[in-house]
Coordinates of all heavy atoms in Angstrom, one line a residue:
M210 N 113.5 84.7 99.0 CA 112.5 85.8 99.5 C 113.1 87.1 99.5 O 114.2 87.3 99.9 CB 112.0 85.4 100.9 CG 111.0 86.5 101.4 SD 110.7 86.2 103.2 CE 109.5 85.0 103.1
N211 N 112.4 88.1 98.9 CA 112.8 89.5 99.1 C 111.9 90.2 100.0 O 110.6 90.0 100.0 CB 112.7 90.2 97.7 CG 113.9 89.7 96.8 OD1 114.9 89.6 97.3 ND2 113.5 89.4 95.5
V212 N 112.4 91.2 100.7 CA 111.5 91.9 101.6 C 111.8 93.4 101.4 O 112.9 93.8 101.3 CB 111.7 91.5 103.0 CG1 113.1 91.7 103.6 CG2 110.8 92.2 104.0
T213 N 110.7 94.2 101.5 CA 110.9 95.7 101.5 C 109.9 96.3 102.5 O 108.9 95.7 102.9 CB 110.5 96.3 100.1 OG1 109.2 95.9 99.8 CG2 111.6 95.8 99.1
V214 N 110.3 97.5 103.0 CA 109.4 98.3 103.9 C 109.0 99.5 103.1 O 109.8 100.2 102.6 CB 110.1 98.7 105.1 CG1 109.3 99.6 106.0 CG2 110.6 97.5 106.0
D215 N 107.7 99.7 103.1 CA 107.1 100.8 102.3 C 107.2 102.1 103.2 O 106.6 102.2 104.3 CB 105.7 100.7 102.0 CG 105.1 101.7 101.1 OD1 105.5 102.9 101.3 OD2 104.2 101.4 100.3
D216 N 108.2 103.0 102.9 CA 108.4 104.2 103.7 C 107.3 105.1 103.9 O 107.1 105.7 104.9 CB 109.5 105.1 103.0 CG 110.8 104.4 102.9 OD1 111.0 103.3 103.6 OD2 111.8 104.8 102.2
D217 N 106.3 105.1 102.9 CA 105.2 105.9 103.0 C 104.2 105.5 104.0 O 103.3 106.2 104.5 CB 104.5 106.0 101.6 CG 105.3 106.8 100.6 OD1 106.2 107.6 101.1 OD2 105.3 106.5 99.4
I218 N 104.2 104.1 104.3 CA 103.2 103.5 105.2 C 103.7 103.3 106.6 O 103.0 103.4 107.6 CB 102.7 102.2 104.5 CG1 102.1 102.4 103.3 CG2 101.7 101.5 105.6 CD1 101.7 101.1 102.5
C219 N 105.1 103.0 106.7 CA 105.7 102.7 108.0 C 105.5 103.9 109.0 O 105.6 105.1 108.7 CB 107.2 102.4 107.8 SG 108.1 102.1 109.3
R220 N 105.1 103.4 110.2 CA 105.0 104.6 111.2 C 105.9 104.3 112.4 O 105.8 105.0 113.5 CB 103.6 104.5 111.8 CG 102.5 105.0 110.8 CD 102.7 106.5 110.5 NE 101.9 107.0 109.4 CZ 102.2 107.1 108.2 NH1 103.4 106.6 107.8 NH2 101.4 107.5 107.3
G221 N 106.9 103.4 112.3 CA 108.0 103.3 113.2 C 107.7 102.7 114.5 O 108.4 102.9 115.6
H222 N 106.6 101.9 114.6 CA 106.3 101.2 115.8 C 107.4 100.3 116.3 O 107.5 100.2 117.6 CB 105.1 100.3 115.6 CG 103.9 101.0 115.0 ND1 103.2 102.0 115.7 CD2 103.3 100.8 113.8 CE1 102.1 102.3 114.9 NE2 102.3 101.7 113.8
G223 N 108.2 99.7 115.5 CA 109.2 98.8 115.9 C 108.8 97.4 116.1 O 109.7 96.6 116.6
V224 N 107.6 97.0 115.8 CA 107.2 95.6 115.9 C 108.1 94.8 115.1 O 108.6 93.7 115.6 CB 105.7 95.4 115.6 CG1 105.4 94.0 115.6 CG2 104.8 96.2 116.4
C225 N 108.4 95.0 113.9 CA 109.2 94.4 113.0 C 110.6 94.1 113.6 O 111.2 92.9 113.6 CB 109.3 94.9 111.7 SG 109.8 96.6 111.7
A226 N 111.2 95.1 114.1 CA 112.6 95.0 114.7 C 112.6 94.1 116.0 O 113.6 93.5 116.2 CB 113.1 96.4 114.9
A227 N 111.5 94.2 116.7 CA 111.4 93.4 117.8 C 111.3 91.9 117.4 O 111.9 91.0 118.1 CB 110.2 93.8 118.7
L228 N 110.5 91.7 116.4 CA 110.2 90.2 116.0 C 111.4 89.6 115.2 O 111.6 88.4 115.3 CB 108.9 90.1 115.3 CG 107.6 90.4 116.0 CD1 106.4 90.4 115.0 CD2 107.4 89.3 117.1
C229 N 112.1 90.4 114.4 CA 113.1 90.0 113.6 C 114.2 91.0 113.5 O 114.5 91.6 112.4 CB 112.5 89.6 112.2 SG 113.6 88.8 111.2
P230 N 115.0 91.1 114.6 CA 116.1 92.1 114.6 C 117.3 91.9 113.6 O 118.0 92.7 113.4 CB 116.5 92.1 116.0 CG 116.2 90.7 116.5 CD 114.9 90.3 115.8
S231 N 117.3 90.6 113.1 CA 118.4 90.3 112.1 C 118.2 91.0 110.8 O 119.0 91.1 109.9 CB 118.5 88.8 112.0 OG 118.8 88.1 113.1
V232 N 116.9 91.4 110.6 CA 116.5 91.9 109.3 C 116.0 93.4 109.3 O 116.5 94.2 108.5 CB 115.5 91.1 108.6 CG1 114.9 91.7 107.3 CG2 116.0 89.6 108.3
F233 N 115.3 93.7 110.4 CA 114.7 95.0 110.5 C 115.4 95.8 111.5 O 115.5 95.3 112.6 CB 113.2 94.9 110.8 CG 112.4 94.2 109.7 CD1 112.1 92.8 110.0 CD2 111.9 94.7 108.5 CE1 111.3 92.1 109.0 CE2 111.4 94.0 107.6 CZ 111.0 92.7 107.8
V234 N 115.7 97.1 111.2 CA 116.1 98.0 112.1 C 115.3 99.3 112.1 O 114.8 99.6 111.0 CB 117.7 98.4 111.9 CG1 118.5 97.2 112.0 CG2 117.8 99.0 110.5
I235 N 115.4 100.0 113.1 CA 114.7 101.4 113.1 C 115.8 102.4 112.8 O 116.8 102.5 113.6 CB 114.0 101.7 114.4 CG1 112.9 100.6 114.7 CG2 113.3 103.1 114.3 CD1 111.8 100.5 113.7
T236 N 115.6 103.2 111.8 CA 116.7 104.1 111.4 C 116.7 105.4 112.3 O 115.7 105.5 113.1 CB 116.5 104.5 109.9 OG1 115.3 105.3 109.9 CG2 116.4 103.4 109.0
D237 N 117.6 106.2 112.1 CA 117.7 107.5 113.0 C 116.4 108.4 112.6 O 116.0 109.2 113.4 CB 119.0 108.3 112.6 CG 120.2 107.6 113.2 OD1 120.1 106.7 114.1 OD2 121.3 108.0 112.7
G238 N 115.9 108.2 111.4 CA 114.7 108.9 111.0 C 113.4 108.4 111.7 O 112.4 109.0 111.6
G239 N 113.5 107.2 112.4 CA 112.4 106.7 113.2 C 111.6 105.7 112.4 O 110.5 105.4 112.9
Y240 N 112.0 105.3 111.3 CA 111.3 104.3 110.5 C 112.0 103.0 110.2 O 113.3 103.1 110.4 CB 110.8 105.0 109.1 CG 109.9 106.1 109.3 CD1 110.3 107.4 109.3 CD2 108.6 105.9 109.7 CE1 109.6 108.5 109.5 CE2 107.7 107.1 110.0 CZ 108.2 108.3 109.8 OH 107.5 109.4 110.1
A241 N 111.3 102.0 109.9 CA 112.0 100.7 109.7 C 112.7 100.5 108.3 O 112.2 101.2 107.3 CB 111.0 99.5 109.8
E242 N 113.7 99.8 108.4 CA 114.4 99.5 107.1 C 114.9 98.0 107.2 O 115.3 97.5 108.3 CB 115.6 100.4 107.0 CG 116.5 100.3 105.7 CD 117.6 101.3 105.8 OE1 117.4 102.4 105.4 OE2 118.7 100.9 106.4
A243 N 114.9 97.3 106.0 CA 115.3 96.0 105.9 C 116.8 96.1 105.6 O 117.1 96.6 104.6 CB 114.6 95.1 104.9
I244 N 117.6 95.5 106.4 CA 119.1 95.6 106.3 C 119.5 94.7 105.2 O 120.7 94.9 104.6 CB 119.9 95.5 107.5 CG1 119.5 94.2 108.2 CG2 119.6 96.7 108.5 CD1 120.4 93.9 109.4
T245 N 118.8 93.8 104.8 CA 119.0 93.0 103.7 C 117.8 92.7 102.9 O 116.8 92.4 103.6 CB 119.7 91.7 104.0 OG1 119.9 90.9 102.8 CG2 119.0 90.9 105.0
A246 N 117.7 92.7 101.6 CA 116.5 92.4 100.9 C 116.4 91.0 100.6 O 115.2 90.4 100.4 CB 116.5 93.3 99.6
D247 N 117.4 90.3 100.5 CA 117.5 88.8 100.0 C 117.6 88.0 101.3 O 118.6 87.9 102.0 CB 118.6 88.6 99.1 CG 118.6 87.2 98.5 OD1 117.4 86.5 98.7 OD2 119.6 86.7 98.0
I248 N 116.4 87.5 101.7 CA 116.3 86.8 103.0 C 116.7 85.4 102.9 O 116.1 84.6 102.1 CB 114.9 86.9 103.6 CG1 114.4 88.4 103.6 CG2 114.7 86.3 105.0 CD1 115.3 89.4 104.4
P249 N 117.7 84.9 103.8 CA 118.1 83.6 103.8 C 116.9 82.7 104.4 O 116.1 83.2 105.2 CB 119.3 83.5 104.8 CG 119.3 84.8 105.4 CD 118.5 85.8 104.7
E250 N 117.0 81.5 104.0 CA 115.9 80.5 104.3 C 115.6 80.5 105.9 O 114.5 80.5 106.4 CB 116.4 79.2 103.9 CG 115.3 78.0 104.2 CD 114.6 77.6 103.0 OE1 115.1 77.9 101.9 OE2 113.5 77.1 103.1
A251 N 116.7 80.5 106.6 CA 116.6 80.4 108.1 C 115.8 81.6 108.8 O 115.2 81.5 109.8 CB 117.9 80.3 108.8
L252 N 115.7 82.7 108.1 CA 115.0 83.9 108.6 C 113.7 84.1 108.0 O 113.0 85.1 108.4 CB 116.0 85.2 108.4 CG 117.2 85.2 109.2 CD1 118.1 86.4 108.8 CD2 116.9 85.3 110.6
Q253 N 113.3 83.3 107.1 CA 112.1 83.6 106.4 C 110.8 83.6 107.2 O 109.9 84.4 107.2 CB 111.9 82.6 105.1 CG 112.9 83.0 104.1 CD 112.7 82.2 102.8 OE1 111.8 81.5 102.7 NE2 113.6 82.4 101.9
S254 N 110.7 82.6 108.1 CA 109.6 82.5 109.0 C 109.5 83.7 110.0 O 108.4 84.2 110.2 CB 109.6 81.2 109.9 OG 110.6 81.1 110.6
A255 N 110.6 84.2 110.4 CA 110.6 85.4 111.3 C 110.2 86.7 110.5 O 109.5 87.6 111.0 CB 112.0 85.6 111.9
V256 N 110.6 86.7 109.3 CA 110.2 87.9 108.4 C 108.8 87.8 108.1 O 108.1 88.9 108.2 CB 111.0 87.8 107.1 CG1 110.5 88.8 106.0 CG2 112.4 88.2 107.4
I257 N 108.2 86.7 107.8 CA 106.7 86.6 107.6 C 106.0 87.0 108.8 O 105.0 87.7 108.8 CB 106.4 85.1 107.1 CG1 106.9 84.9 105.7 CG2 104.9 84.9 107.2 CD1 106.9 83.5 105.2
E258 N 106.5 86.5 110.0 CA 105.9 86.9 111.3 C 105.9 88.4 111.5 O 104.9 89.0 111.9 CB 106.6 86.2 112.4 CG 106.0 86.3 113.8 CD 106.6 85.6 115.0 OE1 107.7 85.0 114.7 OE2 106.2 85.8 116.1
A259 N 107.0 89.0 111.2 CA 107.1 90.4 111.3 C 106.1 91.2 110.3 O 105.5 92.2 110.7 CB 108.5 90.8 111.0
A260 N 106.0 90.7 109.1 CA 105.2 91.3 108.1 C 103.7 91.1 108.6 O 102.9 92.1 108.5 CB 105.3 90.6 106.8
E261 N 103.3 90.0 109.1 CA 101.9 89.8 109.7 C 101.7 90.6 110.9 O 100.6 90.9 111.2 CB 101.7 88.3 109.8 CG 101.7 87.4 108.5 CD 101.5 86.0 108.8 OE1 101.7 85.5 110.0 OE2 101.3 85.3 107.8
G262 N 102.8 90.9 111.6 CA 102.6 91.6 112.9 C 102.6 93.1 112.7 O 102.4 93.8 113.7
C263 N 103.0 93.6 111.6 CA 103.1 95.1 111.2 C 101.7 95.7 111.3 O 100.9 95.3 110.5 CB 103.8 95.3 109.9 SG 103.8 97.1 109.5
P264 N 101.5 96.6 112.3 CA 100.1 97.1 112.4 C 99.8 97.9 111.2 O 98.6 98.2 110.9 CB 100.3 98.0 113.5 CG 101.5 97.7 114.3 CD 102.3 97.0 113.3
E265 N 100.7 98.4 110.4 CA 100.3 99.3 109.2 C 100.5 98.5 107.9 O 100.2 99.1 106.8 CB 101.4 100.4 109.1 CG 101.5 101.3 110.4 CD 100.3 102.0 110.8 OE1 99.4 102.3 109.8 OE2 100.2 102.2 112.0
H266 N 100.8 97.2 107.9 CA 101.0 96.4 106.7 C 101.9 97.0 105.8 O 101.7 97.1 104.6 CB 99.6 96.1 106.1 CG 98.6 95.6 107.0 ND1 98.6 94.3 107.5 CD2 97.5 96.1 107.6 CE1 97.6 94.1 108.3 NE2 96.9 95.1 108.3
A267 N 103.0 97.5 106.2 CA 104.0 98.2 105.5 C 105.1 97.3 104.9 O 106.0 97.8 104.2 CB 104.7 99.3 106.4
I268 N 105.1 96.0 105.4 CA 106.2 95.1 104.9 C 105.7 94.2 103.7 O 104.7 93.6 103.9 CB 106.6 94.2 106.1 CG1 107.2 95.1 107.2 CG2 107.7 93.2 105.6 CD1 107.5 94.3 108.5
R269 N 106.5 94.3 102.7 CA 106.1 93.5 101.6 C 107.1 92.3 101.3 O 108.3 92.6 101.4 CB 106.1 94.3 100.2 CG 105.2 95.5 100.3 CD 103.8 95.2 99.9 NE 102.9 96.3 100.0 CZ 102.1 96.6 101.0 NH1 102.1 95.8 102.1 NH2 101.4 97.7 101.0
T270 N 106.6 91.1 101.1 CA 107.5 90.0 100.9 C 107.1 89.3 99.5 O 106.0 89.5 99.2 CB 107.5 88.8 101.9 OG1 106.1 88.5 102.0 CG2 107.9 89.4 103.3
E271 N 108.0 88.7 98.9 CA 107.8 88.1 97.6 C 108.8 87.0 97.2 O 109.9 87.2 97.9 CB 107.7 89.1 96.4 CG 108.9 90.0 96.2 CD 108.7 91.0 95.1 OE1 107.5 91.5 94.9 OE2 109.6 91.3 94.4
Ligands
LIG406 S1 106.1 97.1 112.4 FE1 105.6 98.0 110.5 S2 105.0 100.3 110.9 FE2 106.1 99.5 112.6 S3 108.3 99.9 112.2 FE3 108.0 97.9 111.4 S4 107.4 98.2 109.3 FE4 107.2 100.2 110.2

């Protein structure tokens, strides 16, 4: 699984970082970033939960 955060859509709520801190961090600029794009199997359900929980639908998985 690959994950990306759309910088143009993200509003920095931090829901993703709260739900899956192993993958999402809030940068100094105040927006989310995925610290790894290639998600290991063990974290995939948490990443999907974060993507579904993002109020802006800024997280893309494939
Ligand atoms: S929950 Fe969505 S909008 Fe909020 S910081 Fe994470 S990616 Fe950005």
Side-chain angles (χ1 to χ4, degrees):
M210 173 192 279
N211 287 317
V212 63
T213 55
V214 176
D215 188 328
D216 296 347
D217 293 333
I218 300 175
C219 176
R220 291 294 174 263
H222 306 292
V224 175
C225 54
L228 290 172
C229 188
S231 299
V232 173
F233 300 100
V234 297
I235 302 299
T236 67
D237 291 344
Y240 298 101
E242 183 177 273
I244 56 177
T245 177
D247 190 15
I248 306 303
E250 182 107 20
L252 291 174
Q253 289 187 4
S254 61
V256 167
I257 290 169
E258 186 180 2
E261 291 176 348
C263 173
E265 308 296 336
H266 306 291
I268 299 171
R269 303 272 178 267
T270 59
E271 57 185 32

